[in-house]
């Protein structure tokens, strides 16, 4: 291998993932282990998200996307769903106050139509502030999000606007919730399960995957460091062959 190629390869290996996505799993088990209600696990998980988003921004990433509530999570008790929605409301209110100071653009992804009018108004307010922060680190929170639902909603929106036209990969990508967001370089799932659970099905095509047993409330900056270092040793070929 030419010396220049070696240097380029070494440079590429040191590259930070531009976009990390996380399936934040294990809040309920974390609470159960402590004899606490599941809602206490979600509250602790929300704190972890605040810390990890700040850390990813400090490291210089462009995007962090987290799975906060899936289209299937409505199956849980009204009490648990209510607790999660309450935490989201709290986070949105905080973001409205602090987004500009912290230079973190918050973007909510998913089907927002079944959410309460109050939550939808808060989301509209955060969208308005985010428009004033172009180019800033972006935290994407997937709320009532399902990968299959995103694809079907996107395809329906496309055919409504372009009846009779044929879809292409580019055209579908452009109507998804993630339209302006690069595909995740790395997807991490905490909580010890080895599945995708309907997260970013279209976008994960060439993402590196990392599964850890750490329960989300215990996930730390050190776990991000070790995930980044693991990522830097992956050989991403995108279907090609190594030169
Ligand atoms: C992830 O933690 C958060 C949500 C799905 C909302 P869980 O609540 O699924 O925690 P476990 O998997 O039951 O421990
Ligand atoms: C995935 O976790 C959804 C979120 C983290 C929001 P779940 O706990 O809902 O997934 P399953 O049921 O274990 O597949
Ligand atoms: Mg779970």
């Amino acid at each position: 291998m030419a010396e220049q190629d070696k240097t380029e390869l070494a440079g590429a290996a040191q590259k930070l993932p531009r976009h990390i996505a996380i399936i934040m799993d294990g809040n309920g088990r974390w609470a159960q282990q402590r004899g606490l209600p599941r809602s206490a696990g979600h509250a602790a998980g929300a704190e972890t998200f605040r810390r990890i988003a700040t850390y990813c921004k400090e490291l210089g990433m462009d995007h962090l996307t987290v799975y906060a509530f899936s289209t299937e999570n409505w199956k849980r008790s009204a009490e648990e769903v209510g607790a999660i929605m309450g935490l989201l409301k709290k986070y949105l209110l905080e973001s409205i106050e602090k987004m500009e100071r912290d230079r973190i653009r918050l973007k909510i992804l998913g089907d927002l139509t079944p959410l309460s009018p109050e939550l939808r108004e808060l989301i509209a307010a955060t969208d308005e502030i985010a428009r004033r922060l172009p180019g800033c680190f972006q935290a994407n929170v997937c709320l009532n999000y399902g990968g299959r639902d995103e694809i079907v909603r996107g395809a329906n929106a496309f055919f409504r606007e372009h009846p009779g036209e044929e879809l292409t990969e580019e055209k579908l990508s452009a109507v998804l919730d993630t339209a302006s967001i690069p595909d995740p370089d790395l997807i991490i799932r905490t909580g010890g399960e080895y599945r995708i659970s309907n997260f970013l099905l279209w976008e994960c095509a060439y993402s590196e995957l990392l599964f850890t047993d750490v329960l989300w409330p215990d996930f730390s900056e050190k776990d991000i460091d070790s995930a980044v270092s693991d990522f830097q040793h992956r050989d991403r070929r995108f279907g090609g062959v190594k030169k």
Side-chain angles (χ1 to χ4, degrees):
M1 191 188 287
E3 213 47 50
Q4 192 196 343
D5 286 351
K6 271 191 206 159
T7 320
E8 273 174 18
L9 201 66
Q14 290 312 311
K15 265 196 192 144
L16 253 194
R18 282 179 70 196
H19 179 186
I20 288 188
I22 307 183
I23 301 174
M24 310 185 287
D25 198 22
N27 293 349
R29 278 163 285 164
W30 182 92
Q32 270 157 7
Q33 285 172 3
R34 287 162 179 75
L36 297 168
R38 295 179 60 86
S39 57
H42 296 309
E47 286 307 317
T48 304
F49 168 59
R50 284 182 182 83
R51 269 194 294 105
I52 296 300
T54 305
Y55 189 58
C56 288
K57 175 182 181 269
E58 281 168 5
L59 287 180
M61 285 172 210
D62 297 333
H63 286 270
L64 171 71
T65 300
V66 295
Y67 206 4
F69 192 86
S70 76
T71 44
E72 288 73 49
N73 286 147
W74 297 103
K75 292 174 187 166
R76 299 185 180 202
S77 72
E79 191 190 350
E80 183 170 350
V81 171
I84 295 169
M85 294 301 158
L87 287 163
L88 282 159
K89 178 181 160 188
K90 187 168 167 239
Y91 187 76
L92 286 164
L93 284 167
E94 262 175 43
S95 296
I96 288 168
E97 209 175 294
K98 296 200 295 205
M99 243 162 111
E100 276 178 290
R101 187 199 72 190
D102 294 348
R103 319 278 310 153
I104 295 183
R105 283 182 105 209
L106 176 69
K107 176 97 186 103
I108 307 292
L109 311 180
D111 178 7
L112 307 182
T113 49
L115 301 181
S116 70
E118 188 190 23
L119 271 184
R120 278 186 288 152
E121 270 170 37
L122 292 175
I123 292 168
T126 56
D127 283 345
E128 185 55 42
I129 303 170
R131 269 193 281 278
R132 302 202 290 268
L133 297 170
C136 287
F137 170 78
Q138 188 163 316
N140 307 298
V141 175
C142 296
L143 178 53
N144 189 33
Y145 174 89
R148 289 183 173 185
D149 175 71
E150 179 192 32
I151 293 167
V152 170
R153 274 188 294 112
N156 281 330
F158 176 83
F159 291 122
R160 259 195 312 274
E161 282 169 38
H162 311 276
E165 219 178 284
E166 222 171 89
L167 256 181
T168 61
E169 291 189 14
E170 286 70 26
K171 287 175 188 172
L172 182 57
S173 293
V175 289
L176 295 179
D177 297 338
T178 53
S180 56
I181 302 170
D183 286 345
D185 298 300
L186 173 65
I187 298 182
I188 301 172
R189 182 172 186 143
T190 63
E193 312 286 2
Y194 299 89
R195 52 177 174 260
I196 286 289
S197 301
N198 207 6
F199 188 48
L200 302 178
L201 297 183
W202 178 265
E203 299 82 350
C204 76
Y206 276 101
S207 303
E208 296 298 322
L209 305 177
L210 191 148
F211 297 92
T212 166
D213 288 338
V214 175
L215 302 175
W216 176 249
D218 290 329
F219 194 82
S220 70
E221 288 84 343
K222 279 205 170 62
D223 293 307
I224 286 288
D225 289 343
S226 88
V228 167
S229 141
D230 186 320
F231 171 83
Q232 287 170 338
H233 290 91
R234 304 281 179 103
D235 176 19
R236 302 184 82 190
R237 293 186 294 276
F238 300 96
V241 286
K242 221 171 173 178
K243 274 185 203 150

